[in-house]
Amino acid sequence: MTDQPSPEPSRADAHTVIAAETYRRSRGLWRVLAFIALAIAVIVGLGRFSLPQGPAGEYVARLVIDGTITTDRARLAAIADLAEDDAVKAVIVAINSPGGTTAGGEELYEALGQLRAAKPTVAVIGELGASAAYMTAIATDRIFARRLSIVGSIGVLYQHVNAGKLLETVGVDLDKVASGPLKAEPDFDEPLDGAPRASIAALVDDSFQWFVDVVAERRGLTRPATLALADGRIVTGRVGVESGLIDAIGGEKEAMDWLETERDVAAELDIRTVWPQPQQGFDLIGTFLNGQARAALGLPDGPITLDGLVSLWQVGTAS
């Protein structure tokens, strides 16, 4: 039995195959073109929104200080730019922070002092303006806070955890070779006493004395009166006014009223947030990806615990 040759396809079948193949290729090409067009539209749109939206004419700048305060070169540059910008007629420092590192607070205090010499500056404390955040507030010409805002907490802190007993229980013994008796002290497997404690106490006291001095100077208080308030206590805005820690009860409206009355700043000027700089365009994508990466790594979205010398009124993470 011999194999029979396959019948030749008809001319109509050949045309159908060619047409189907042409349609398939055409459809794929249009899909590619549509995707490219969509990508271009997205890029153009993001680029449009990411272009600098500079303020037209004179305005009042809003500098937002929230969360944990640390040193920040970009923030320093933004503050310096405000001092040089003729369109900026005043600066409102909007504060909602428990404080942060001593160096971060000092940096802000010094930078705002230079800004104050060039522009009228007003601090407006929201829920919280304590420790290094209060240090930031006193660098301005006037401080407003809500009646029930939390202010104060003048002081410096160094925390030490002694895990020696825990390590002994689990059978871990640490040893080290150091160039001096105070190198890398205090160690977390030993109590904080003796020479290491005296060394840390001197460090804390030096920062604390400077903090007290600048509060006394900026608030017009005697040093004894300042020391009486500098035991780390927090107070409400109302008590802050009575004790001289802040100037008046109010918010941004009251700050603008004061600028108009005392510094001849036009009340109709727009208030524009200049820090943090608004995230637009590609920055939004970066923020999203950063959040996804932190979530994937199990990192928290909230404040990160600080090591070293801090001026911080510690608050727990909201549950």
Side-chain angles (χ1 to χ4, degrees), residues 37-83:
L38 178 61
I40 292 174
V42 170
I43 292 173
V44 171
L46 291 176
R48 173 174 173 268
F49 286 110
S50 64
L51 291 174
Q53 304 293 324
E58 299 176 345
Y59 68 104
V60 174
R62 181 192 293 114
L63 185 74
V64 178
I65 306 297
D66 60 0
T68 304
I69 295 172
T70 59
T71 57
D72 190 325
R73 283 183 293 178
R75 185 181 59 209
L76 277 182
I79 294 174
D81 289 343
L82 291 177

Side-chain angles (χ1 to χ4, degrees), residues 65 94-99 123-135 137 143-154 232-241 243 245-246 248-250 312-316:
I65 306 297
I95 298 172
N96 190 8
S97 166
V124 176
I125 297 175
E127 284 81 8
L128 184 59
S131 295
Y134 179 69
M135 187 188 300
I143 305 174
F144 289 89
R146 295 296 178 188
R147 184 188 181 281
L148 297 180
S149 296
I150 294 175
V151 301
S153 189
I154 302 169
R233 74 181 68 183
I234 53 173
V235 298
T236 63
R238 182 188 66 80
V239 175
V241 172
S243 61
L245 291 179
I246 66 173
I249 301 299
L312 182 75
W313 181 68
Q314 188 65 48
V315 292

Side-chain angles (χ1 to χ4, degrees), residues 263-284:
R263 297 303 176 91
D264 297 323
V265 176
E268 65 271 13
L269 290 181
D270 288 339
I271 303 175
R272 302 176 184 269
T273 299
V274 297
W275 182 267
Q277 296 170 347
Q279 291 186 324
Q280 298 173 334
F282 296 109
D283 290 337
L284 292 175

Side-chain angles (χ1 to χ4, degrees), residues 279-304:
Q279 291 186 324
Q280 298 173 334
F282 296 109
D283 290 337
L284 292 175
I285 298 177
T287 300
F288 172 77
L289 294 177
N290 177 64
Q292 297 302 308
R294 291 177 69 88
L297 294 173
L299 297 176
D301 291 330
I304 298 174

Side-chain angles (χ1 to χ4, degrees), residues 73-309:
R73 283 183 293 178
R75 185 181 59 209
L76 277 182
I79 294 174
D81 289 343
L82 291 177
E84 300 294 330
D85 190 348
D86 292 335
V88 176
K89 295 305 172 184
V91 178
I92 294 176
V93 184
I95 298 172
N96 190 8
S97 166
T101 66
T102 50
E106 179 192 2
E107 179 182 87
L108 264 175
Y109 175 83
E110 298 290 350
L112 290 176
Q114 295 174 9
L115 178 62
R116 185 181 70 244
K119 312 281 182 180
T121 60
V122 183
V124 176
I125 297 175
E127 284 81 8
L128 184 59
S131 295
Y134 179 69
M135 187 188 300
T136 299
I138 63 174
T140 65
D141 293 309
R142 192 166 181 84
I143 305 174
F144 289 89
R146 295 296 178 188
R147 184 188 181 281
L148 297 180
S149 296
I150 294 175
V151 301
S153 189
I154 302 169
V156 180
L157 170 70
Y158 184 96
Q159 288 183 316
H160 171 67
V161 175
N162 177 15
K165 291 184 178 180
L166 173 63
L167 295 176
E168 182 180 351
T169 300
V170 297
V172 176
D173 185 21
L174 299 179
D175 203 353
K176 66 182 178 183
V177 176
S179 58
L182 295 179
K183 181 63 178 176
E185 290 288 349
D187 215 334
F188 66 89
D189 65 333
E190 298 174 351
L192 180 58
D193 56 15
R197 187 178 192 90
S199 175
I200 296 299
L203 180 71
V204 169
D205 187 65
D206 181 63
S207 300
F208 173 68
Q209 297 302 329
W210 178 84
F211 197 172
V212 170
D213 287 341
V214 296
V215 171
E217 176 186 354
R218 293 296 305 149
R219 299 307 303 162
L221 300 170
T222 65
R223 205 167 194 282
T226 306
L227 283 171
L229 297 168
D231 55 2
R233 74 181 68 183
I234 53 173
V235 298
T236 63
R238 182 188 66 80
V239 175
V241 172
E242 293 178 353
S243 61
L245 291 179
I246 66 173
D247 294 296
I249 301 299
E252 203 165 82
K253 177 184 180 302
E254 288 73 17
M256 284 298 299
D257 290 343
W258 182 84
L259 286 169
E260 179 186 18
T261 302
E262 300 296 329
R263 297 303 176 91
D264 297 323
V265 176
E268 65 271 13
L269 290 181
D270 288 339
I271 303 175
R272 302 176 184 269
T273 299
V274 297
W275 182 267
Q277 296 170 347
Q279 291 186 324
Q280 298 173 334
F282 296 109
D283 290 337
L284 292 175
I285 298 177
T287 300
F288 172 77
L289 294 177
N290 177 64
Q292 297 302 308
R294 291 177 69 88
L297 294 173
L299 297 176
D301 291 330
I304 298 174
T305 302
L306 299 171
D307 292 328
L309 202 61

